[in-house]
Amino acid sequence: MEEKSKKDHRVLLNQGEENELEVFGYQTQNLRRAFCLVVSVLTCGVLLLVFYWRPQWSVWASCVPCPLEEADTILLRTTDEFQRYIRKKVMCLHLSALKFPISKNPEQPLVADSHSVINQAVLKPELKLRCIQVQKIRYVWDNVEKSFQKVGLLADSYSCYDIHHMFGLGLTNEEQEVRRLVCGPNAIEVEIQPVWKLLIKQVLNPFYVFQAFTLTLWLSQGYIPYSVAIIIMSVLSIVLSVYDLRQQSVKLHNLVEAHNKVQVKIIVKDKGMQELESRLLVPGDVLILPGKFSLPCDAVLIDGSCVVNESMLTGESIPVTKTPLPRVGDSMPWKSHGEEDYRKHVLFCGTEVIQVKPPGQGPVRAVVLQTGYNTAKGDLVRSILYPRPLNFKLYSDAFKFIVFLACLGLVGFFYALGVYVYHGVSPGETAAMALLLLTVTVPPVLPAALTTGIMYAQKRLAKKKIFCISPQRINMCGQINLVCFDKTGTLTEDGLDLWGTVPTADNCFQAVHSFTSGKALAWSPLCAAMASCHSLILLDGAIQGDPLDLKMFEGTAWIMEDHNVDYCDFRTSDSNIIIKPGPKASWSPVEAITVLRQFPFSSSLQRMSVVAQLAGEGHFHVYMKGAPEMLAKFCRSETVPKNFPQELRNYTVQGFRVIALAHKALSMGKLSEVESLSREKVESELTFLGLLIMENRLKKQTRPVLKELNEARIRTVMVTGDNLQTAITVAKNSEMIPPGSQVILVEANEPEESVPASVTWQLVENQDSGPGINETYINIGNSSVPAGEKGSCYHFAMSGRSYQALFQHFNSLLPKILVNGTIFARMSPGQKSSLVEEFQKLNYYVGMCGDGANDCGALKMAHAGISLSEQEASVASPFTSKTANIECVPQLIKEGRAALVSSFGVFKYLTMYGMIQFIGTALLYWQLQLFGNYQYIMQDIAITLMVCLTNIFSLLLISALGITVFIFFSDFQDIYQGMELIPTITSWRVSILVATLIQFCVAFFVEDALLQNRELWLLIKKTFGFYSKSQYRNWQKKLAEDSTWPPTNRTDYSGDGKNGFYVNRGYESPEQIPKGKLGWGGQTTEQHFWTRL
């Protein structure tokens, strides 16, 4: 019973997501609450201040644990390493407030979908539901599942059939009202924080509270000039902070406010079309897309198609074509329907619809999926409002040292009590002086000074056109030791140049057509595929779209026109675009082509296809383009040349971008049949047409930057969606893989029937096949990495498919591969994010540099994401460079290191200053003396402020030293009296100066000769066996001692020890391997597997 009670008291919110939270239920007790109120009054509000800093203590003090079903107060705790707490009150929404009668019958659902969380959340006959609001998202209590569920979105469990038939006709007015009350408004509202609220938040910061306490003590002791100076500094600091926060709040508010007031048209069930304000939209509404339109919500397209500009999400202004959700009758969730990428059906909030293509006579329609902060744009705004905290060692160590200083201050407190009691001083003055010594150890300017290096670094980065939206990450850049690079547009030129085509005929490759020859491409199915199989659109008379598609289309010398009545042979709507030969095109028997249906390109599918009609023909054609390895799978085997792998390798090893094209004719003659075709039906039994070869040159900055990073011992990794062979060649040409290094290809396969998951290791070798050509081939013999060349001279390369198989079936092997993994090709956006996370688990500080299109997830996941976008700031990335090459990476790391060294130096300087002042004050206490007002002003303001002026720090320090020595030996009584100094005899002063000089020399020697002596510390570490605790260092050490690593030219299989499958001994420690397996001896891996079978 007790276990059940504990389970009811705690549940997980957003399980498995990045913002996962633990939820605990509490019930307020009036007696406890009254007791807390009394204690708060007695402590003059100190308890309330503590509760403000620690909300969990407030809940524990005034509430008792209870089942969540009965809770009126909710305590939420993050499941990350920071374990932060949030307190929330449970709110009740009453449906009786609606203007129409609602049935109180528990059997009658409130909304059409009987499985909706709304039906399960409303209590009948009370007609109320309980909810909480966490980080702008509303959650309601599900009385069936006994947990809090997110509202403001349609569940992912709906099938395509459900969306079309349950929501396709719209919602009734009554259901809309219920959903509006429960889900809240469809608005991304960023409140402009009032100045008084920002002021209170700043003043209640623990640092300023401590400072207020300190100043009260100083004023009580008559240190008025010093206290006034500190008060002026503090007020200026608070005013500047409030001003900055207010400006940020206003900018963010203005950024999102325009999208909250869009007039939209929706379809109301049984009533037809209705116009309303976008903030009244609810999930399930049917939205009409009129044309150019800014989307106020996330919606799934159900009728027609449209072209969308998603630059707000991706940072690239490339038009994206969206297609309607297929009308299928299965019960499979709509997002996982077939193998298709669901995003091609989804219109995201904040993106711009720039063109619509209605289906016949009806309008383009979409069903609202998510509203408000549940949308893609809402999620981005929430990531700005509630950024993920950074676990940075400098800050955690600094906090620990400040705690040590506070403990030292506590020792001083008791020391002062003892001294003043011993001298018979009054209790009041004794307490004041003891508290005074308690506050001396922590310098009041320490937190502000720690951000000085960051502030200067941010200014310098802005001059270099590198913009930052998360300044705290600048310090983290100083520790980056691994950088992941996208290839296309990052390491190589963004634009592609056409090199040639390699057509096929009679199952053989034909002569290459070179575009540099100046001859027009002759008419053929290959030419038709290049002219029609793309996502280009005609907008205001200009062709727009993906640069690759644009280059390919330009190579045909065909042109695009709007639909014209002259082409009456086409049975199409007016929204279709006509493609016809241009003036420079070669002769063609076809007057024009029109694209009737498009299956857009997806990075996860690695292909796209279109259904087109040639003028004058009564049937239709399918044209397809994509990654050669992928496209060949959809072609009839007899049409694919036998030397296809070798021909493909010939071009990819030279760094060319290769695209394959295919075609088939459709026997059907009705347009309605084309519109109902599934992608699986279209993309099958095709005829292989040939290869399109495109040149992708390295940027001139790539090789020197990679060399600089390598010399700085910073690892570089390529993460690309391109071909694996192309990636290996680019890595070698850019010297990411140094000359003479070995490349081992890792190919992992999913389990099939009785064959378990396998991983094959193949050594890739170089062979000169002619002048100027460095050809790569895969050796299948018995060679291995020479024993003398082990260590960091080998690099693993793999595809996204292999990475996924390793992740799922060889998870314990993955870290061993990652410490020497350099090339990851054919990686989907999700796999890129996963790879960055796996590197972070090995304790790497990871930087990610990409073009911002398919790299958004990885850019957000990395410690420092750098987007090479043209926009001044990208929401997806902490850093954005307006210079579109990787020179920004070493610049950012340098500035990060400068900021990190500055922060560390400032911290050492100020903490040592605090300890010196503490010891000096403690010595004076023995004589019942104190430093004078002007001494404190000189120390705390003149000296400590110098660290904030880093450009002229040395000059100011020398000036301060000169002034101090002058005052020390001047013997001007007026100066001594004015500054409240008591002069000592000259010999004492000389002794102090000599001692100071000796201390300076010793400190300088210790700092430079010992603390900064890298060779000495490496020798000490080696002598005493101290090694890095980083996971990747430990793996490198283990693998260097492993004689079986790296494996080459063999295949290993997964297994659990029960089914007899072989598990390679090199992957697990002897303790983990059953004794039976240890006795298998020296047979080959393949023999183990087939023998056991």
Side-chain angles (χ1 to χ4, degrees):
M1 186 70 184
E2 187 178 345
E3 286 182 7
K4 186 179 184 302
S5 175
K6 284 182 179 177
K7 186 181 177 184
D8 291 342
H9 166 63
R10 174 192 172 277
V11 296
L12 277 176
L13 201 65
N14 306 323
Q15 190 167 2
E17 297 179 26
E18 189 180 347
N19 58 338
E20 185 180 77
L21 296 162
E22 287 180 287
V23 183
F24 302 92
Y26 288 89
Q27 206 165 43
T28 307
Q29 281 201 336
N30 291 329
L31 189 61
R32 283 181 171 227
R33 196 173 176 184
F35 176 74
C36 289
L37 191 62
V38 170
V39 175
S40 299
V41 172
L42 293 176
T43 57
C44 301
V46 172
L47 184 65
L48 289 176
L49 196 60
V50 172
F51 285 167
Y52 173 77
W53 292 334
R54 292 284 182 270
Q56 66 271 29
W57 293 358
S58 169
V59 175
W60 295 336
S62 59
C63 306
V64 291
C66 71
L68 282 160
E69 211 168 357
E70 303 164 9
D72 59 17
T73 300
I74 297 295
L75 189 63
L76 301 111
R77 183 174 67 194
T78 59
T79 55
D80 56 21
E81 57 195 298
F82 300 98
Q83 301 276 292
R84 290 164 296 136
Y85 284 90
I86 308 166
R87 176 182 179 162
K88 291 291 174 184
K89 292 294 289 181
V90 177
M91 302 179 293
C92 281
L93 298 176
H94 297 272
L95 272 70
S96 54
L98 296 173
K99 296 177 182 178
F100 55 89
I102 296 175
S103 171
K104 297 183 179 181
N105 182 2
E107 302 299 322
Q108 188 173 344
L110 283 169
V111 294
D113 175 20
S114 57
H115 300 292
S116 169
V117 67
I118 296 175
N119 288 324
Q120 295 170 186
V122 176
L123 289 169
K124 293 185 177 182
E126 297 94 334
L127 292 180
K128 70 173 185 179
L129 55 82
R130 302 165 65 246
C131 67
I132 55 173
Q133 190 106 348
V134 183
Q135 292 184 351
K136 307 290 186 181
I137 300 289
R138 183 175 289 181
Y139 300 85
V140 298
W141 177 255
D142 189 329
N143 295 295
V144 177
E145 298 293 331
K146 302 298 179 187
S147 64
F148 281 100
Q149 302 286 346
K150 195 184 291 185
V151 290
L153 70 167
L154 293 185
D156 290 342
S157 57
Y158 288 118
S159 66
C160 296
Y161 179 86
D162 292 335
I163 290 178
H164 277 286
H165 292 82
M166 198 179 293
F167 303 107
L169 298 175
L171 304 175
T172 62
N173 278 332
E174 290 76 14
E175 187 169 338
Q176 284 177 330
E177 290 296 329
V178 170
R179 287 180 181 266
R180 278 177 198 141
L181 179 67
V182 176
C183 302
N186 171 41
I188 302 172
E189 293 175 329
V190 177
E191 178 191 0
I192 298 178
Q193 293 277 352
V195 173
W196 65 269
K197 193 179 282 188
L198 292 171
L199 196 61
I200 288 173
K201 281 185 180 178
Q202 285 294 311
V203 169
L204 293 182
N205 184 295
F207 163 67
Y208 287 116
V209 170
F210 171 75
Q211 204 169 55
F213 171 69
T214 305
L215 288 170
T216 305
L217 285 173
W218 289 122
L219 287 168
S220 70
Q221 296 303 308
Y223 284 90
I224 295 172
Y226 169 69
S227 300
V228 168
I230 295 292
I231 288 169
I232 290 170
M233 282 176 57
S234 301
V235 169
L236 281 172
S237 176
I238 291 171
V239 167
L240 287 172
S241 297
V242 168
Y243 175 78
D244 285 344
L245 290 169
R246 172 80 176 186
Q247 288 296 104
Q248 289 173 19
S249 179
V250 169
K251 283 180 182 176
L252 195 56
H253 172 82
N254 294 339
L255 181 70
V256 300
E257 184 60 24
H259 291 91
N260 294 334
K261 297 177 180 177
V262 180
Q263 288 298 118
V264 296
K265 288 182 180 179
I266 63 168
I267 295 176
V268 180
K269 198 170 187 177
D270 302 327
K271 290 191 177 179
M273 202 176 294
Q274 179 182 328
E275 190 169 334
L276 46 73
E277 200 173 281
S278 60
R279 63 185 299 111
L280 299 176
L281 287 173
V282 294
D285 270 334
V286 175
L287 190 64
I288 303 295
L289 304 181
K292 288 190 179 181
F293 180 62
S294 179
L295 283 157
C297 60
D298 286 357
V300 59
L301 205 60
I302 59 170
D303 270 326
S305 61
C306 61
V307 179
V308 182
N309 181 352
E310 293 188 342
S311 60
M312 193 281 296
L313 294 177
T314 66
E316 287 197 349
S317 302
I318 295 174
V320 180
T321 302
K322 301 289 182 176
T323 57
L325 194 69
R327 294 177 181 269
V328 290
D330 56 32
S331 58
M332 189 184 296
W334 70 273
K335 280 189 177 181
S336 57
H337 177 69
E339 296 181 353
E340 299 185 20
D341 183 0
Y342 75 91
R343 293 171 65 92
K344 69 178 183 180
H345 308 305
V346 180
L347 309 170
F348 295 101
C349 178
T351 59
E352 301 282 335
V353 176
I354 54 180
Q355 197 176 75
V356 295
K357 296 180 181 177
Q361 300 303 315
V364 177
R365 300 185 303 147
V367 172
V368 176
L369 277 180
Q370 298 173 134
T371 57
Y373 277 96
N374 292 294
T375 61
K377 183 178 178 181
D379 190 47
L380 289 175
V381 174
R382 283 199 314 123
S383 71
I384 297 171
L385 293 172
Y386 308 101
R388 187 178 66 177
L390 298 172
N391 183 16
F392 194 41
K393 200 168 185 298
L394 172 70
Y395 297 145
S396 57
D397 288 351
F399 178 75
K400 289 173 187 175
F401 197 79
I402 288 171
V403 170
F404 163 74
L405 291 178
C407 294
L408 191 65
L410 204 61
V411 171
F413 173 80
F414 289 110
Y415 161 79
L417 280 179
V419 168
Y420 276 78
V421 168
Y422 174 76
H423 285 89
V425 180
S426 64
E429 190 178 348
T430 299
M433 299 309 287
L435 288 170
L436 202 64
L437 192 57
L438 175 67
T439 63
V440 164
T441 52
V442 182
V445 295
L446 183 58
L450 277 175
T451 61
T452 303
I454 296 173
M455 181 183 70
Y456 281 106
Q458 191 173 6
K459 284 183 178 179
R460 289 193 296 268
L461 285 171
K463 288 178 183 177
K464 295 171 183 175
K465 297 183 179 180
I466 302 170
F467 299 92
C468 174
I469 61 171
S470 181
Q472 292 302 320
R473 287 184 185 259
I474 293 176
N475 265 345
M476 197 165 277
C477 292
Q479 285 202 304
I480 285 176
N481 50 16
L482 183 148
V483 184
C484 297
F485 291 99
D486 181 35
K487 185 183 76 68
T488 308
T490 304
L491 298 175
T492 59
E493 294 290 350
D494 198 16
L496 293 164
D497 295 320
L498 291 175
W499 184 84
T501 59
V502 189
T504 58
D506 301 324
N507 197 23
C508 295
F509 284 109
Q510 303 299 303
V512 175
H513 168 81
S514 174
F515 286 102
T516 56
S517 65
K519 291 181 181 178
L521 184 66
W523 166 256
S524 65
L526 182 68
C527 178
M530 290 173 61
S532 60
C533 191
H534 50 71
S535 57
L536 301 175
I537 63 165
L538 200 61
L539 190 64
D540 299 328
I543 300 174
Q544 293 190 10
D546 186 272
L548 186 148
D549 283 348
L550 198 55
K551 276 287 182 190
M552 181 182 73
F553 182 72
E554 286 172 355
T556 64
W558 284 46
I559 58 172
M560 267 186 178
E561 288 184 357
D562 286 324
H563 186 275
N564 192 305
V565 291
D566 293 342
Y567 296 99
C568 54
D569 292 336
F570 293 131
R571 290 159 290 170
T572 65
S573 69
D574 289 345
S575 61
N576 288 91
I577 289 175
I578 301 297
I579 302 162
K580 66 179 201 176
K584 295 182 180 180
S586 61
W587 176 86
S588 167
V590 176
E591 289 185 25
I593 304 173
T594 188
V595 177
L596 307 174
R597 186 93 187 271
Q598 187 183 101
F599 298 94
F601 176 80
S602 155
S603 50
S604 60
L605 298 178
Q606 300 176 358
R607 65 184 187 273
M608 78 164 289
S609 56
V610 295
V611 179
Q613 184 185 8
L614 309 185
E617 291 189 1
H619 60 278
F620 307 103
H621 296 264
V622 172
Y623 295 105
M624 181 177 174
K625 81 170 192 306
E629 309 95 326
M630 178 64 70
L631 187 133
K633 297 175 185 177
F634 296 90
C635 296
R636 289 181 287 118
S637 57
E638 65 269 19
T639 67
V640 180
K642 291 179 182 178
N643 65 333
F644 167 74
Q646 292 83 358
E647 190 76 10
L648 174 62
R649 190 177 298 120
N650 284 340
Y651 293 107
T652 57
V653 296
Q654 296 177 63
F656 286 116
R657 178 79 177 268
V658 183
I659 294 167
L661 298 121
H663 159 262
K664 80 171 178 182
L666 293 175
S667 56
M668 59 190 65
K670 293 183 179 178
L671 189 60
S672 57
E673 293 176 356
V674 171
E675 289 173 351
S676 61
L677 277 174
S678 66
R679 187 163 193 162
E680 290 77 10
K681 179 87 173 173
V682 168
E683 295 176 344
S684 62
E685 296 295 310
L686 290 110
T687 299
F688 189 83
L689 294 177
L691 302 174
L692 174 64
I693 315 297
M694 306 183 89
E695 209 169 3
N696 195 196
R697 297 186 183 91
L698 275 179
K699 291 182 178 178
K700 63 179 180 180
Q701 300 87 358
T702 297
R703 193 176 284 113
V705 167
L706 294 180
K707 183 181 178 183
E708 185 179 1
L709 293 174
N710 185 48
E711 288 172 349
R713 297 175 182 266
I714 296 170
R715 266 190 72 189
T716 52
V717 172
M718 188 189 298
V719 188
T720 177
D722 207 346
N723 176 278
L724 181 57
Q725 290 291 349
T726 303
I728 292 173
T729 304
V730 170
K732 288 185 174 182
N733 290 343
S734 65
E735 295 184 5
M736 182 179 283
I737 295 176
S741 296
Q742 299 285 345
V743 178
I744 299 169
L745 186 65
V746 182
E747 187 176 348
N749 295 300
E750 299 280 349
E752 295 178 6
E753 298 178 358
S754 59
V755 182
S758 65
V759 56
T760 302
W761 317 80
Q762 293 177 313
L763 188 63
V764 178
E765 295 187 353
N766 291 333
Q767 181 181 32
D768 290 334
S769 57
I773 298 177
N774 187 26
E775 187 175 337
T776 303
Y777 72 96
I778 296 171
N779 177 35
I780 55 173
N782 294 320
S783 68
S784 61
V785 176
E789 295 183 12
K790 290 184 63 174
S792 62
C793 68
Y794 63 91
H795 301 260
F796 291 119
M798 72 182 75
S799 66
R801 186 175 64 86
S802 295
Y803 172 79
Q804 198 66 32
L806 285 167
F807 188 83
Q808 291 176 352
H809 305 288
F810 297 90
N811 200 264
S812 61
L813 176 61
L814 193 59
K816 300 181 180 183
I817 295 173
L818 293 184
V819 291
N820 278 92
T822 301
I823 300 166
F824 300 85
R826 293 292 186 217
M827 297 285 280
S828 68
Q831 288 168 344
K832 288 183 180 182
S833 300
S834 171
L835 179 66
V836 168
E837 190 175 8
E838 290 303 312
F839 276 129
Q840 289 173 335
K841 286 178 183 176
L842 291 174
N843 303 129
Y844 280 109
Y845 280 85
V846 184
M848 173 71 197
C849 184
D851 58 8
N854 295 324
D855 308 310
C856 287
L859 289 167
K860 288 180 74 175
M861 182 65 68
H863 290 106
I866 311 158
S867 173
L868 303 184
S869 166
E870 292 183 2
Q871 296 179 356
E872 191 163 286
S874 168
V875 183
S877 175
F879 300 95
T880 302
S881 171
K882 287 189 76 176
T883 307
N885 61 61
I886 63 171
E887 280 183 330
C888 59
V889 175
Q891 289 172 352
L892 184 60
I893 294 174
K894 287 173 187 174
E895 292 297 348
R897 289 186 177 184
L900 185 61
V901 168
S902 297
S903 296
F904 190 62
V906 165
F907 182 77
K908 287 196 297 181
Y909 180 90
L910 288 179
T911 50
M912 286 304 298
Y913 155 73
M915 291 178 71
I916 291 166
Q917 192 178 58
F918 171 77
I919 292 167
T921 308
L923 290 172
L924 287 175
Y925 267 33
W926 188 253
Q927 298 296 326
L928 301 184
Q929 294 293 330
L930 264 178
F931 287 119
N933 246 317
Y934 295 103
Q935 284 175 284
Y936 273 122
I937 291 174
M938 188 77 173
Q939 292 167 1
D940 278 2
I941 297 175
I943 295 177
T944 57
L945 272 183
M946 286 181 199
V947 297
C948 300
L949 304 167
T950 53
N951 352 357
I952 52 171
F953 174 67
S954 300
L955 178 64
L956 288 174
L957 196 61
I958 292 167
S959 303
L961 179 64
I963 292 168
T964 304
V965 171
F966 171 75
I967 293 171
F968 206 44
F969 291 102
S970 64
D971 279 334
F972 289 155
Q973 295 304 314
D974 292 340
I975 294 176
Y976 292 159
Q977 287 175 7
M979 294 188 68
E980 301 174 6
L981 299 173
I982 300 173
T984 58
I985 59 175
T986 306
S987 60
W988 284 19
R989 286 181 253 174
V990 171
S991 301
I992 291 169
L993 184 63
V994 170
T996 304
L997 288 171
I998 292 170
Q999 194 270 340
F1000 170 77
C1001 293
V1002 170
F1004 187 83
F1005 172 79
V1006 170
E1007 181 76 22
D1008 273 34
L1010 298 178
L1011 297 180
Q1012 302 294 338
N1013 191 328
R1014 178 181 172 82
E1015 288 75 16
L1016 176 65
W1017 286 107
L1018 288 174
L1019 180 65
I1020 292 171
K1021 286 168 71 176
K1022 187 177 180 180
T1023 305
F1024 294 98
F1026 294 131
Y1027 294 102
S1028 170
K1029 293 180 182 178
S1030 298
Q1031 291 286 331
Y1032 74 92
R1033 290 285 191 194
N1034 293 336
W1035 278 115
Q1036 286 172 345
K1037 185 172 179 291
K1038 287 177 185 176
L1039 295 176
E1041 297 168 356
D1042 186 352
S1043 60
T1044 65
W1045 193 265
T1048 52
N1049 306 315
R1050 75 180 195 210
T1051 301
D1052 299 323
Y1053 299 87
S1054 68
D1056 55 10
K1058 296 177 183 177
N1059 54 11
F1061 294 145
Y1062 172 74
V1063 179
N1064 185 359
R1065 292 194 295 277
Y1067 302 160
E1068 302 186 15
S1069 63
E1071 292 79 6
Q1072 294 174 304
I1073 303 170
K1075 290 181 181 177
K1077 288 183 180 177
L1078 287 171
W1080 287 354
Q1083 303 173 54
T1084 64
T1085 307
E1086 287 80 357
Q1087 285 175 322
H1088 294 323
F1089 173 64
W1090 294 113
T1091 303
R1092 300 302 291 178
L1093 275 182

